[in-house]
Each structure stands twice: as structure tokens, then as C-alpha cells.
Amino acid sequence: MSKPTFFVVAVAVFLVHDNRFLALRRSTSKAVAPGAWEVISGKVERGELPHETARRETYEETGITVALDERPVTAYQADYGMAPMMVLVYRGKRLAGEASLSSEHEAMAWVTEDEFAQLCLYGELVEAARWAIKLPW
């Protein structure tokens, strides 16, 4: 009998404003992907629904309360260190708060999808950006 495969389940959130979205550069002290550009993201905690994780992570990482499209834009498989990871991608708009950096990130920028493609090393996330920005609300 083979060992069951498990996945880390995570979310990524494209916080959209005026055909741009918030990109974040990970802290260089992070164990996984230090200094990489990404969007709001985080692992789903036990007992938490993915769209709840998306709201929580948006607030924790930016100080923004988000109006979230609860249907994922897309999903993709990636690796989190040595573990396989399934990422559910959401998008949302700011309800309240102003963007500020948490200790998890060193920089932020409101970017277009093409600017993000130049910054981000993760092809799946770049492709998700293209979906998130183009789908109708």
C-alpha cells in the first residue's frame, strides 16, 4: 500500500484596484522564497474555509478589509519547500483600510499584469494574474 499524498492548501489573493493589483515582495528572512514577488497569500488553517483564509490573510498582510469574490478564479499545484501545495486563487476589492506592510514583506506595489510578469518568478501565479484581472465582476 502506498503512502497517502497530502497537500498543503493555500490561497493567493489578487487585491484589484483600477486594473492593477497589489504585489508584495517577501521578506528576505522567510524560509521559503525569500525576496520573491508574490501577492497576498497564506496557508489554510485547520477548520478554516479557503475564502475565510483569503479574507484573514488580506487583513493580516495589508491591513485591508476585502470584498472577496468567493469563487476561486483558478487553482494550481506548486511546491512549498518539500511538500506539494494546492493554491486556490481569489480576487477582491478593498472595503476599508489603507495598504501597509506586515513583517512578512519588504515592499509593495500596485502593478499591471505585465509588470507583475516581469517581477514574479512563478509562471502559475503570473497566469492566475491574467485571469484575475480580465474576468468580469
Side-chain angles (χ1 to χ4, degrees):
M1 182 177 241
S2 65
K3 186 176 179 180
T5 301
F6 74 94
F7 284 87
V8 172
V9 179
V11 300
V13 180
F14 287 90
L15 186 59
V16 179
H17 179 71
D18 289 336
N19 291 320
R20 293 178 173 271
F21 55 88
L22 190 62
L24 302 166
R25 189 175 70 219
R26 292 173 65 87
S27 169
T28 54
S29 65
K30 298 291 272 184
V32 176
W37 282 91
E38 62 175 359
V39 294
I40 300 158
S41 62
K43 293 182 286 223
V44 176
E45 295 179 356
R46 184 178 301 275
E48 189 174 47
L49 295 172
H51 67 273
E52 294 170 338
T53 304
R55 284 191 184 94
R56 175 181 55 77
E57 289 290 346
T58 299
Y59 186 76
E60 288 176 2
E61 293 184 8
T62 69
I64 291 176
T65 302
V66 65
L68 189 69
D69 185 345
E70 291 186 10
R71 297 169 301 156
V73 171
T74 189
Y76 63 89
Q77 185 177 337
D79 293 313
Y80 184 79
M82 298 300 288
M85 178 172 64
M86 181 59 63
V87 181
L88 299 173
V89 180
Y90 293 89
R91 67 182 177 160
K93 294 182 178 180
R94 183 181 69 83
L95 278 179
E98 296 299 323
S100 60
L101 286 174
S102 72
S103 61
E104 295 182 43
H105 297 96
E106 295 180 345
M108 69 171 65
W110 290 95
V111 298
T112 65
E113 62 185 279
D114 290 334
E115 291 167 337
F116 188 64
Q118 295 297 312
L119 294 171
C120 183
L121 303 175
Y122 308 112
E124 297 94 345
L125 193 55
V126 171
E127 188 62 28
R130 297 193 191 287
W131 279 100
I133 205 75
K134 287 186 172 120
L135 287 176
W137 288 91

